[in-house]
Amino acid sequence: MRSIALTNQKGGVGKTTSVANLGACLALLERKVLMIDVDPQANLSIHYGVDIYGDRKSLYDLMIGEAKVEEILCRTNFENLDLIPSNINLAGAEIEMVGVVGRETILKEALDHIMERYDYVLVDCPPSLGLLTLNALTTVREVVIPVQTEFFALQGMSKLIDTIRLVRRRLNPDLQVTGIVACMYDGRTRLAQEVRANIEQYFPDKLYKSMIRKNIKLAESPSHGKPISSYDRNSLGCKDYMALAREVIAQEAVLRRAAMPAAPSDSAPQEGKQTSVAGGNG
Ligand SMILES: Nc1ncnc2c1ncn2[C@@H]1O[C@H](COP(=O)(O)OP(=O)(O)O)[C@@H](O)[C@H]1O
Ligand SMILES: [Mg+2]
């Protein structure tokens, strides 16, 4: 099982679009996928046509202990693809939980028993580094950072990396950045190419080769309540997310090898050794 939070405290960089479509593409490639909407804006839930205004219980109810996972879990219309929806009530959770002991691990504890049923758990984070994002980072083992290849792409990145380090030290020693995905990429512009080069310098070996190009079909599909693979299978957007899904799947073998205990012939003590987070940023 791989659990991945798509995190960037900047809004509008492609987090939700990536969870929605990477999730759908992984499911098409026969991985069993759970998507979790941890954003009170509930864009991911809307993307899959969930009615977020009705009485339906959501992640909020789970986090305050008023619902069981089984009550809020949605089967989407797509095989291998489930969703835990959010709604605006979740916005209150950050404040309501301020005084709660262990508030950073509420999500992890609520989901622990179902995560193992899936090959991939993808978490869509809100555009902040508040308590909801901390809960997401405590629940997963991997972080993928979507970035928009524009001038301010790397602004705020050191704050994000600091937060990830802090979570790793205090709450989740397994957490590591396993990828950066360039979204809304327009390779015709020199700026996009420069920013891409910059990201590669700042995060050596982390940038996925599959770039997600700007594609209007990706922006249209949420209003149809469908992922791109169902809305327009022949679009560039679908091709890009399929390529990304294959690249993510190809990481499985690498991560498995990294997780294996060191061979006995290794002389150096390996216990407790961790794969470093996003190398090259001090
Ligand atoms: N590759 C893309 N091409 C065109 N539009 C995109 C692309 N990726 C995202 N968008 C659009 O950009 C906006 C912001 O994307 P979104 O995934 O919601 O960002 P975030 O979740 O980081 O706030 C949305 O309207 C989305 O439809
Ligand atoms: Mg979003």
Side-chain angles (χ1 to χ4, degrees):
M1 192 273 293
R2 289 179 70 186
S3 50
I4 309 173
L6 280 85
T7 310
N8 187 334
Q9 73 272 34
K10 256 188 229 287
V13 296
K15 293 182 289 294
T16 302
T17 306
S18 296
V19 171
N21 296 306
L22 176 61
C25 291
L26 287 168
L28 274 177
L29 296 169
E30 291 174 5
R31 296 302 190 273
K32 204 161 164 28
V33 180
L34 171 64
M35 300 175 293
I36 306 174
D37 192 349
V38 178
D39 187 350
Q41 315 255 353
N43 292 349
L44 177 67
S45 309
I46 298 168
H47 202 135
Y48 277 89
V50 175
D51 172 18
I52 61 158
Y53 300 106
D55 296 333
R56 161 171 245 299
K57 286 191 173 176
S58 70
L59 185 64
Y60 170 74
D61 302 278
L62 178 75
M63 289 185 75
I64 62 165
E66 299 268 299
K68 293 206 174 77
V69 178
E70 290 72 16
E71 282 175 80
I72 60 166
L73 189 73
C74 293
R75 310 245 172 263
T76 65
N77 295 327
F78 308 93
E79 209 177 332
N80 295 327
L81 191 58
D82 292 350
L83 167 69
I84 291 184
S86 158
N87 68 29
I88 191 67
N89 292 340
L90 195 57
E94 299 227 2
I95 297 161
E96 286 166 41
M97 284 165 196
V98 158
V100 177
V101 175
R103 57 190 175 274
E104 298 89 357
T105 55
I106 291 170
L107 187 67
K108 179 184 168 61
E109 280 159 23
L111 294 176
D112 240 5
H113 68 290
I114 66 150
M115 303 225 329
E116 289 298 332
R117 293 182 206 162
Y118 295 90
D119 299 313
Y120 281 87
V121 175
L122 303 180
V123 184
D124 186 22
C125 291
S128 77
L129 294 174
L131 185 57
L132 291 170
T133 295
L134 286 183
N135 265 276
L137 294 178
T138 306
T139 303
V140 299
R141 299 170 72 101
E142 300 177 44
V143 178
V144 164
I145 307 173
V147 295
Q148 213 182 333
T149 40
E150 296 201 339
F151 181 64
F152 290 113
L154 292 178
Q155 193 211 29
M157 202 57 91
S158 47
K159 181 87 191 133
L160 175 57
I161 296 302
D162 283 350
T163 304
I164 292 168
R165 286 220 182 94
L166 190 74
V167 171
R168 197 169 40 169
R169 204 162 58 233
R170 300 252 175 95
L171 297 158
N172 183 5
D174 296 327
L175 190 66
Q176 55 172 326
V177 175
T178 47
I180 314 267
V181 54
C183 295
M184 292 175 248
Y185 185 68
D186 184 352
R188 293 168 304 181
T189 68
R190 179 194 276 253
L191 178 63
Q193 291 170 23
E194 279 173 12
V195 172
R196 180 177 141 186
N198 238 333
I199 298 168
E200 272 170 339
Q201 200 179 7
Y202 196 75
F203 296 100
D205 307 323
K206 296 287 178 188
L207 186 66
Y208 286 112
K209 291 193 177 47
S210 322
M211 309 274 167
I212 310 300
R213 289 166 285 186
K214 269 198 184 126
N215 180 238
I216 188 68
K217 299 286 179 187
L218 287 169
E220 287 170 4
S221 65
S223 63
H224 296 263
K226 293 174 177 174
I228 193 68
S229 48
S230 158
Y231 178 62
D232 188 343
R233 194 89 180 241
N234 296 316
S235 61
L236 285 182
C238 188
K239 290 200 175 82
D240 289 350
Y241 275 108
M242 278 308 274
L244 179 64
R246 291 203 173 87
E247 212 180 327
V248 166
I249 286 174
Q251 284 181 308
E252 290 171 7
V254 181
L255 290 167
R256 248 196 315 270
R257 271 200 301 279
M260 284 212 300
S265 59
D266 267 2
S267 52
Q270 295 282 311
E271 209 179 336
K273 188 179 171 219
Q274 272 162 25
T275 318
S276 79
V277 67
N281 50 70

